Amino acid sequence: MLAMLLAMLDNMIVTPALPRILGELGGVSHLSWVVTAYILGTTVSTPIWGKLGDLYGRKTIFLTSIVIFLVGSALCGVAGTSVLGGTDNGMIELIAFRAIQGLGAGGLLVGVMAILGDLVSPRERGKYQGQFAGIMAVAMVGGPLVGGLITDHLSWRWAFYVNIPLGGMVLVLLAAVLHLPKRRTEHRIDWFGAALLSVAVTSLVLITTWGGTEYAWASRQILGLVLLAAVTLALFVVVERRAAEPILPLRVLANRNFALITGVGFLLGFAMFGALSFLPLYQQTVQGASATNSGLLLLPIMVGAMVTSLVVGKAITRTGRYRIFPIVGGFLMIAAALLLAQLGVDTTRTVSALYMVVLGVGLGCLMQTTMLIAQNSADQRDLGVASSTATFFRSIGGSFGVALFGAVFSHRLADGLAARLGPDAPVLGDGAGASFDPAKLDLLPPPVREALFGAIADATSRVFWWSVPFALAVPLLAWFVREVPLRGPGDAPGATGETLADATASPSHAAEAASAPAPARPA
């Protein structure tokens, strides 16, 4: 839980420090890459960390990822200082070091879930994953608050230095007390497959990051990245079919439950995490909330998600039933999207908070349940790959969602301003509202400020309307998930009729089990 907090807190704690970083290091055109580099490093490395853990042992690889994360944190803290030769390339240095941090964070996120799968039986895993969902909520709420305090009272560099004592404690504790089952595996790394996957993932992340902002969607840069992603993904499939130890075994994706729940995770990232990126802007402008307390703005979502995750986890452990929760969560996501699509200039904070509670309850039914089903649908030998693949598709879904909804928001905001102020409406920021300061809105003339508030509210509402079709697909996919009974702590593998959940038989026997109907769970 401390390791999970370490990885998630760092992504949230840096956001309040970005203006100070820009003021000291310059490089405004590269500022977004301080965040993007971290996401890119995490996303690219996620499948690779999962496979390395399966091959070389979870503990060794997990500790290695912590060390890389701490080295990246220390380097970020000294970026642009005399330690590295001056400040001329400070922003470029920080971006490179954030990528190193992201590489380590990818191993932390995957390792946590895979180690949990090693230590806890599927039947008991639900209640523990509910606790990890609580850690995610703490990081998402506390990160911006802590980041703001550190930036105001110390220095933006301490947003990175703070990782070192926390990470050092995690490293010492895990090295001393973490004991995992010993497994021997023939080691043969699929380096070619790993390289192809890294290039494909990098291309996809750059498409979603640059498309419609840095470059037009029809530009040769974006089209070139699309072609590169398509070619490398096609080659990756060919290589994985022939590799002795594929970095992403296609047999995992061939499992019906795994494919369905991975699709749910992708849509979860796409529909909700993408759309949620625009709520803080709405609240800081239209509703006049303070930017200093931005972490508290999404508190209703986090409380709903945390409480629901704990309740759902205990219910799964008690009953062994889990299929109903992603279905219910999907319908709650649809309801939340429809409610949040009603946001307007006159919507009160109380009403919007109630809407967000509905969203949080839906996320609580989905976030950790999707990981549980993904792990329960894979062989024990592929547990790391299953965990990393589920995390990977959720991250990619979020990236695509931010890109699509960013374009929707930008165009709707521009159209709204033109409709309210005429064709000669002033351009504010980049059209997406990312570069004007909410704290200075009072300096605008009242007609312009009112027009801006109306355009932002309208654009935010339109984003959630666009998320509805994707939310509709979540319960539809979850409906076709087959409930494979979860093994309890005293059961031998296969004792409750798992298909590929915890099979220790040969691949051919596992394939036969996958096609066989699951027997009814004993009373």
Side-chain angles (χ1 to χ4, degrees), residues 413-429 447-448 451-452 455:
L413 179 60
D415 291 345
L417 287 173
R420 289 168 172 83
L421 299 176
D424 298 326
V427 176
L428 296 171
V448 175
L452 176 62

Side-chain angles (χ1 to χ4, degrees), residues 255-256 482-485 497-500 509-519:
N255 180 273
R256 171 184 164 177
R482 185 173 64 179
E483 191 160 53
V484 179
E498 300 96 327
T499 54
L500 290 176
H509 290 160
E512 293 171 4
S515 62

Side-chain angles (χ1 to χ4, degrees), residues 63-306:
L63 295 180
T64 301
S65 69
I66 295 175
V67 171
I68 293 174
F69 181 85
L70 293 179
V71 169
S73 298
L75 290 173
C76 286
V78 299
T81 65
S82 58
V83 175
L84 298 175
T87 60
D88 292 342
N89 298 313
M91 184 62 78
I92 302 300
E93 291 173 357
L94 179 60
I95 291 168
F97 298 150
R98 283 285 281 169
I100 295 174
Q101 251 195 325
L103 292 175
L108 287 176
L109 294 172
V110 173
V112 163
M113 291 303 169
I115 287 173
L116 182 63
D118 277 341
L119 292 177
V120 183
S121 70
R123 180 68 178 267
E124 291 189 313
R125 207 172 293 163
K127 65 180 181 182
Y128 288 97
Q129 289 183 333
Q131 295 172 19
F132 279 98
I135 287 293
M136 294 180 186
V138 169
M140 295 183 73
V141 173
L145 291 175
V146 175
L149 289 172
I150 288 175
T151 303
D152 289 339
H153 299 287
L154 294 172
S155 162
W156 64 264
R157 298 182 186 277
W158 278 96
F160 301 107
Y161 290 149
V162 73
N163 294 326
I164 296 175
L166 179 60
M169 179 176 65
V170 172
L171 190 65
V172 171
L173 282 173
L174 292 178
V177 304
L178 179 64
H179 303 290
L180 297 177
K182 299 290 185 181
R183 293 188 177 88
R184 296 182 59 85
T185 306
E186 292 296 326
H187 305 320
R188 196 170 183 180
I189 298 296
D190 176 23
W191 293 114
F192 189 36
L196 288 172
L197 183 61
S198 298
V199 172
V201 172
T202 302
S203 301
L204 290 173
V205 173
L206 291 180
I207 290 168
T208 58
T209 303
W210 285 346
T213 54
E214 295 284 335
Y215 305 102
W217 286 104
S219 65
R220 67 176 184 274
Q221 290 89 347
I222 298 299
L223 293 178
L225 286 171
V226 171
L227 178 62
L228 180 61
V231 170
T232 49
L233 282 174
L235 289 174
F236 175 72
V237 172
V238 173
V239 169
E240 296 305 276
R241 288 182 178 276
R242 300 177 179 178
E245 278 290 343
I247 201 73
L248 179 56
L250 299 182
R251 64 178 179 271
V252 174
L253 294 174
N255 180 273
R256 171 184 164 177
N257 267 13
F258 187 87
L260 287 170
I261 210 65
T262 300
V264 169
F266 176 85
L267 291 168
L268 175 64
F270 199 113
M272 284 298 104
F273 296 146
L276 279 176
S277 302
F278 303 94
L279 267 180
L281 176 62
Y282 166 82
Q283 292 176 302
Q284 291 180 35
T285 54
V286 178
Q287 293 187 328
S290 169
T292 304
N293 297 323
S294 58
L296 296 177
L297 299 177
L298 301 179
L299 187 60
I301 298 177
M302 302 312 151
V303 171
M306 180 172 61

Side-chain angles (χ1 to χ4, degrees), residues 334-380:
I334 297 169
L338 291 172
L339 289 172
L340 290 167
Q342 310 305 315
L343 292 175
V345 176
D346 298 325
T347 305
T348 66
R349 294 188 192 181
T350 301
V351 172
S352 60
L354 292 174
Y355 294 167
M356 287 189 283
V357 169
V358 177
L359 176 58
V361 174
L363 293 176
C365 291
L366 281 162
M367 287 196 305
Q368 297 306 310
T369 310
T370 53
M371 179 62 71
L372 174 65
I373 297 173
Q375 291 180 338
N376 195 52
S377 303
D379 253 349
Q380 187 70 28

